Amino acid sequence: MERLDQQMNFILEVDKLKSIIRQNYLMDGSRRENDADHSWHLALMCAILSEHANEKINVVKTITMVLIHDLVEIDAGDTYAYDELANVSKRDRERKAADRIFHLLPEDQAAEIRSLWDEFEEGSTPEAKFANTLDKMLPLLLNAGSDGKSWKEHGVTLSQVLKRNEKTHEGSEALWEYELGIINKHVANGNLINQ
Amino acid sequence: MERLDQQMNFILEVDKLKSIIRQNYLMDGSRRENDADHSWHLALMCAILSEHANEKINVVKTITMVLIHDLVEIDAGDTYAYDELANVSKRDRERKAADRIFHLLPEDQAAEIRSLWDEFEEGSTPEAKFANTLDKMLPLLLNAGSDGKSWKEHGVTLSQVLKRNEKTHEGSEALWEYELGIINKHVANGNLINQ
């Protein structure tokens, strides 16, 4: 039973992801999103939108990658995309978290999930590029859908969004083109500051 | 662009799953779980625990199944497992919801997702059996982890839990054996009424 016990300890520990709160709101503006909400939505997007990846991707690998990509935030917390100071220490905090959380699993699965997380962070395989594209796209969709609620709270500018999304086209030119249409609309209506 | 527009309409519509509140609590008892939290947790369990399925399963199919299995609750609402009256009308309400929500997608994907949902509801393939096993197991784990919080609120009995789980062994004998250990412990400590 040792193997199943280790797996169950991991399954129970990651329940904490549901309490990690992100900056962006649900589309109806009723509350901020949590990391489990976000990871579910990304996984479903991956299942529905994989045909738009620039390169052919392994779908189950990409879905598993997005399901686990934020688990490190259980220890390291959510780092807001546009908080430059917090982003400096992010990498170290998240690596320590990966060392603890993934290693609750049996050794073979710990190595597999750690490798998937490293691949997501590195962002150079077709799967990691597509996962990163979705991870950047989803908060933009929700921000747009909630009339720019968290953009306005933080005074986010067009150049910040473009810098944040400088690699989005690498995962999917089609989705990036779609995103650009949304960005332009929200610059025009003032939800994103035009600078 | 019509195909991508349809896909994006679906992606935005399903954001509402995050606002469908279930009866069970997070393990720390801080709040009730929502359907997106739940679906994410199931998908990750599927990735980690698939080796325990009684029969070999297609993992990406099973994960996709659990990612979409509760979308009908956007229209039909969550029906508490032990609310017998509400469960009578559940099937009709959920079918109407499936007709609307899945058909936001392009026709081929709508048919594919509808078929996956029907398969989950039918519960007769190896994938549907395993998905149903996880769907029954997760709230039990969270109830056990929160010291039986929602069991005690609703006065849930052992016989209700056993009836609810009468098919759990069909997906995985190993997980069912693990669950039985938890159930016995919570009958012994009084969190589940012994009748």
Side-chain angles (χ1 to χ4, degrees), chain B residues 31-151:
Chain B
R31 64 167 172 86
R32 291 185 199 271
E33 199 184 26
N34 74 58
D35 270 351
D37 291 330
H38 167 69
S39 301
W40 163 77
H41 212 159
L42 285 183
L44 185 55
M45 285 172 81
C46 189
I48 299 295
L49 300 174
S50 63
E51 69 194 52
H52 302 293
N54 289 343
E55 298 167 85
K56 192 163 170 53
I57 59 169
N58 175 329
V59 177
V60 67
K61 177 180 166 185
T62 317
I63 291 180
T64 308
M65 194 181 275
V66 300
L67 289 172
I68 61 93
H69 83 293
D70 269 344
L71 289 180
V72 293
E73 297 190 359
I74 288 173
D75 288 354
D78 178 56
T79 306
Y80 184 49
Y82 302 113
D83 179 342
E84 289 182 19
L85 195 63
N87 274 283
V88 173
S89 64
K90 181 175 184 251
R91 206 166 177 81
D92 273 355
R93 284 181 287 119
E94 293 193 347
R95 284 197 179 170
K96 275 185 199 143
D99 288 341
R100 183 186 76 81
I101 297 165
F102 300 147
H103 288 275
L104 295 171
L105 284 167
E107 205 171 330
D108 60 315
Q109 289 190 314
E112 185 190 338
I113 298 293
R114 173 60 186 252
S115 160
L116 262 185
W117 182 73
D118 286 339
E119 185 175 331
F120 174 82
E121 291 291 306
E122 181 68 31
S124 51
T125 63
E127 286 79 10
K129 285 179 188 169
F130 192 66
N132 274 287
T133 291
L134 297 181
D135 191 39
K136 299 293 183 295
M137 184 178 199
L138 178 54
L140 191 132
L141 291 174
L142 298 184
N143 263 314
S146 61
D147 193 28
K149 192 160 177 166
S150 84
W151 287 330

Side-chain angles (χ1 to χ4, degrees), chain A:
Chain A
M1 276 296 272
E2 198 190 343
R3 183 173 173 84
L4 181 51
D5 280 334
Q6 288 176 305
Q7 291 168 327
M8 294 307 298
N9 282 345
F10 173 81
I11 296 293
L12 297 178
E13 176 67 14
V14 302
D15 193 58
K16 294 176 184 165
L17 194 71
K18 301 168 188 171
S19 299
I20 307 296
I21 306 301
R22 296 165 50 81
Q23 286 298 318
N24 63 275
Y25 292 83
L26 305 192
M27 284 212 6
D28 66 6
S30 58
R31 64 165 172 87
R32 291 185 199 270
E33 200 184 27
N34 74 57
D35 270 351
D37 292 330
H38 167 70
S39 301
W40 164 76
H41 212 160
L42 284 183
L44 185 55
M45 285 172 81
C46 188
I48 298 296
L49 299 174
S50 62
E51 69 193 53
H52 301 293
N54 289 344
E55 298 166 86
K56 191 163 172 52
I57 58 169
N58 175 326
V59 177
V60 67
K61 177 179 167 184
T62 317
I63 290 180
T64 308
M65 192 180 277
V66 301
L67 289 173
I68 61 95
H69 84 293
D70 269 344
L71 290 180
V72 293
E73 297 190 359
I74 287 173
D75 288 354
D78 178 56
T79 306
Y80 184 49
Y82 302 113
D83 179 343
E84 289 181 19
L85 196 63
N87 274 283
V88 173
S89 64
K90 181 175 184 249
R91 205 163 178 83
D92 273 354
R93 284 182 286 121
E94 293 194 345
R95 284 197 179 169
K96 276 185 199 143
D99 288 341
R100 184 186 76 80
I101 297 165
F102 300 147
H103 288 275
L104 295 171
L105 285 166
E107 205 171 329
D108 60 314
Q109 289 190 314
E112 185 190 338
I113 298 293
R114 174 60 186 253
S115 160
L116 261 185
W117 182 73
D118 287 338
E119 184 175 331
F120 174 82
E121 290 292 307
E122 181 69 31
S124 51
T125 62
E127 286 80 9
K129 284 179 189 170
F130 192 66
N132 274 288
T133 291
L134 297 181
D135 191 39
K136 299 294 183 294
M137 186 178 198
L138 177 53
L140 191 132
L141 291 174
L142 299 185
N143 263 314
S146 62
D147 195 26
K149 193 160 176 166
S150 83
W151 287 330
K152 288 187 279 188
E153 278 181 6
H154 294 275
V156 174
T157 66
L158 171 61
S159 58
Q160 283 179 308
V161 171
L162 293 179
K163 182 161 193 316
R164 173 87 177 149
N165 280 280
E166 63 190 357
K167 292 183 171 175
T168 298
H169 71 98
E170 291 182 11
S172 169
E173 295 290 348
L175 295 182
W176 173 236
E177 189 187 334
Y178 189 92
E179 260 197 68
L180 263 182
I182 295 172
I183 292 169
N184 288 334
K185 186 177 150 202
H186 287 268
V187 169
N189 72 16
N191 286 337
L192 283 169
I193 298 169
N194 192 5
Q195 64 185 33

